[in-house]
Amino acid sequence: MKRLAKRMTAVFLSLCLLLAGLCAAPTVPAKAAADEGWVGAWSTSPVEFNLKKMLDLEWIKCDAGLRNLTFRTRIQPTISGEDVRITLSNEFGTGPLTVNTVSVAKGYEYLPQAVQTWTRKTVTFGGNSSVTIPAGETVTSDPVGLSVEALEYLTVSLFLKRTETMKTYGLIGGDTYIMSGNFAKAATTLGVPMKLEADFGEYSVIPALTGVEVYAPEASSAVIIGDSTLANDIPILLAEKLRNAGITNVGVLQQAIKGNRLLDDGAGFLGMAYGEAMVDRFARDALDQPGVEKIFLKVGVNDVVHPNCESLKGEARPVTAQEMIDGYKQLIQEAHDRGIEVYLFTRTAWKGYTRNVLGGGTDVEWTPEIDQMRQDINTWIRSEDNPADGCIDLDFMCADEGATELRSEYTTDGAHFTALGQQAVVDAMPLEYFQ
C-alpha cells in the first residue's frame, strides 16, 4: 500500500509541474448565458486540481506555480459557424487568474502543435488582449472573426505570466502542449504533451479552456454528459454520424468525467479528478451550455460500484436505488423547466471489472447483490414512470441473458468501451432524436 501511495503521489507531483496561474489585467464579468445565435461547438467539463488540498497541505500559505508558460490546445468543433468565441474558466481557482495572451487558429491533422498562421487571430475580452478571471468565475471572449468547419482542427493558445492560482482543468476533449515562454502566436511549438496515462485511465489535461462556440443562428447543441463510459470518442463519433446523415445543425458537446457519480462528489485520493456530483454540476455543464436543446445522460454505475471498493470504504457514501431514481427525476425536471429534452441511457453491465487502481490489484468484485441496484434502476429507466423524453437501451451489448456482462469485443476491462463498443453506443442513438 505504501508503494501505491508513493506512486500516486509521484504521478500527481509530476502533473503539478505541468500545471498551475495569477497576475493582473482588465477584469471581465462572467457571461450569464449565451447570446442568441451562438451555439456550443466544443466543450469539456472543468474539474479541480489542487495539490495542497489533495495532500491535506492547506496549512501552506502560498501556492506553487511556474511562470511564463504557454498552453496550446488542439480541439475539434462539432458544428460549422460563421464566427467563433472561446470560454475560459477559473471555477476552482484559489485567486484571480490572468491570461495574458490568447490566440486561435486553424490547425493540422498530422501536426498537432502547428497552426495555419494565415488564419491566426488574437482573442480579446471586452476589447482587451489580456483578461483577469475572478476565482469561481468564467469569461467568454469577444467574437473572433474566424469561420469554423465542423470536425476540422482548431488550436487555442494561452500565455500566462503566472500560474499559481490555476486549479481548473478539463480532462478530455483535446490535446494540450506546454512550453516555457510566450508562444501563443508561434507557427509551431515543441511543447511537452499534457497527458497523464496510468492504471486508472488516460487523461488529456486542458488548462482553463472549457468551451468553444460558433455563430450559427439556425443550429442547436446536444450535450453528452456522464461518467467514464462516455468520456471517450462517443461525442466525435456522434457528430460524424449526424453529418453523414445530413444533420448539420446540431453541435455535440463532451461533458463526461471519469469516475463521476450522480449523487456524490468524487471520493478518495483521486476524488477531485472524478468531479462534482452530477446533481450539482448539471446546470453548469449541461443546462447552461449555449444553444442546448437535448441532453443525453449516462451516469450512476459509480454510485453502485465505488461504495463497494476496498480503497473507498468509508469514503464513498452508499446510496439506494430510490435515491438514484429521485436524482434522475430531479435532473429531468430541471431540464424540462427550461424546455430542454433529456434522454437516458441504461446503465451498462460491469461484471468482470475489478478497478485495478494504480496496479493495486482487485479493488471491487462483482456480485449479484451489488449489481441488483443497477438492474432496478434500468427497470425504472425502461418504464413509463421515467419522465425522460427517450431511453437508449444498451443491454444488446451484453454477452448473457441476464445482461450482467459486456461482450468481450465491446469492453477493455469489463466496464469501459473499446472503439467498437463506443461505435455500438452511437449506432444505438436514433437519428429521430436529433430531427
Side-chain angles (χ1 to χ4, degrees):
M1 199 63 201
K2 288 182 179 179
R3 180 179 64 83
L4 292 179
K6 288 180 179 178
R7 186 177 171 195
M8 293 160 78
T9 302
V11 168
F12 278 92
L13 284 172
S14 297
L15 180 59
C16 185
L17 294 176
L18 296 177
L19 307 180
L22 175 65
C23 205
T27 298
V28 175
K31 183 186 70 171
D35 297 332
E36 186 177 352
W38 290 92
V39 175
W42 173 89
S43 67
T44 190
S45 289
V47 299
E48 181 179 11
F49 182 82
N50 187 331
L51 197 66
K52 281 171 53 178
K53 186 184 293 187
M54 181 181 296
L55 300 179
D56 195 23
L57 300 176
E58 296 195 71
W59 50 271
I60 296 178
K61 298 304 181 184
C62 63
D63 283 304
L66 301 178
R67 299 196 176 193
N68 298 316
L69 296 180
T70 298
F71 302 98
R72 174 161 284 188
T73 301
R74 187 184 69 163
I75 59 102
Q76 285 183 275
T78 56
I79 190 172
S80 302
E82 302 170 11
D83 210 339
V84 65
R85 57 188 189 182
I86 71 170
T87 295
L88 303 177
S89 176
N90 191 26
E91 177 80 18
F92 303 106
T94 53
L97 174 70
T98 294
V99 183
N100 301 93
T101 307
V102 184
S103 71
V104 62
K106 296 189 178 187
Y108 296 96
E109 181 177 0
Y110 299 109
L111 297 170
Q113 298 193 52
V115 299
Q116 300 175 27
T117 54
W118 57 94
T119 69
R120 185 181 58 226
K121 303 285 185 179
T122 297
V123 180
T124 60
F125 299 80
N128 299 298
S129 58
S130 63
V131 61
T132 294
I133 314 169
E137 296 190 13
T138 64
V139 295
T140 296
S141 74
D142 304 323
V144 175
L146 178 67
S147 63
V148 172
E149 294 296 324
L151 299 177
E152 72 175 340
Y153 288 97
L154 197 67
T155 299
V156 178
S157 300
L158 313 178
F159 171 65
L160 292 85
K161 291 181 180 178
R162 301 181 67 176
T163 62
E164 54 262 42
T165 62
M166 180 183 278
K167 308 298 177 188
T168 306
Y169 303 91
L171 295 178
I172 189 170
D175 296 310
T176 299
Y177 300 85
I178 182 176
M179 60 227 74
S180 178
N182 186 352
F183 292 92
K185 297 183 179 180
T188 190
T189 62
L190 294 173
V192 177
M194 294 184 70
K195 280 190 180 292
L196 179 64
E197 298 184 28
D199 301 323
F200 51 82
E202 177 180 310
Y203 296 92
S204 296
V205 182
I206 304 172
L209 177 66
T210 56
V212 173
E213 54 195 66
V214 299
Y215 187 71
E218 303 303 319
S220 64
S221 63
V223 173
I224 305 295
I225 190 165
D227 54 31
S228 57
T229 58
L230 295 180
N232 45 41
D233 290 332
I234 283 176
I236 291 294
L237 293 172
L238 176 59
E240 291 174 344
K241 172 180 175 174
L242 296 180
R243 291 191 67 77
N244 290 338
I247 301 173
T248 60
N249 63 341
V250 178
V252 182
L253 301 180
Q254 167 67 275
Q255 296 292 147
I257 299 176
K258 296 179 181 180
N260 201 224
R261 293 182 65 178
L262 174 66
L263 300 178
D264 289 79
D265 295 347
F269 186 81
L270 300 176
M272 276 190 273
Y274 300 155
E276 300 160 289
M278 180 65 70
V279 292
D280 294 326
R281 73 182 184 94
F282 190 68
R284 180 195 66 210
D285 291 351
L287 302 180
D288 293 342
Q289 293 302 313
V292 61
E293 291 187 359
K294 302 173 191 297
I295 297 170
F296 293 83
L297 174 66
K298 186 177 186 294
V299 70
V301 167
N302 293 316
D303 295 76
V304 176
V305 173
H306 283 188
N308 291 286
C309 293
E310 289 300 321
S311 64
L312 296 175
K313 289 286 178 66
E315 296 189 62
R317 180 180 71 96
V319 295
T320 67
Q322 189 57 54
E323 286 177 299
M324 296 284 288
I325 291 169
D326 291 343
Y328 295 126
K329 287 181 177 179
Q330 172 187 326
L331 299 185
I332 294 166
Q333 186 61 54
E334 289 175 5
H336 285 174
D337 286 345
R338 297 209 200 177
I340 299 171
E341 298 174 1
V342 179
Y343 299 87
L344 296 185
F345 293 95
T346 55
R347 315 300 84 154
T348 41
W350 60 283
K351 187 175 182 178
Y353 178 58
T354 62
R355 195 173 182 269
N356 181 13
V357 181
L358 292 168
T362 298
D363 194 30
V364 64
E365 290 191 23
W366 182 95
T367 68
E369 292 75 22
I370 294 174
D371 196 47
Q372 187 59 52
M373 184 165 75
R374 181 188 67 89
Q375 299 274 12
D376 292 343
I377 292 168
N378 280 351
T379 297
W380 172 79
I381 289 175
R382 298 187 191 96
S383 75
E384 293 183 358
D385 293 333
N386 175 8
D389 299 276
C391 160
I392 302 164
D393 195 337
L394 299 179
D395 274 4
F396 73 91
M397 300 178 71
C398 292
D400 60 322
E401 261 187 50
T404 63
E405 186 174 3
L406 291 171
R407 289 164 53 182
S408 59
E409 64 266 33
Y410 287 151
T411 184
T412 59
D413 59 2
H416 299 99
F417 301 139
T418 60
L420 189 62
Q422 293 171 45
Q423 188 63 60
V425 172
V426 171
D427 290 345
M429 300 176 72
L431 284 174
E432 53 262 33
Y433 286 174
F434 302 91
Q435 296 170 327

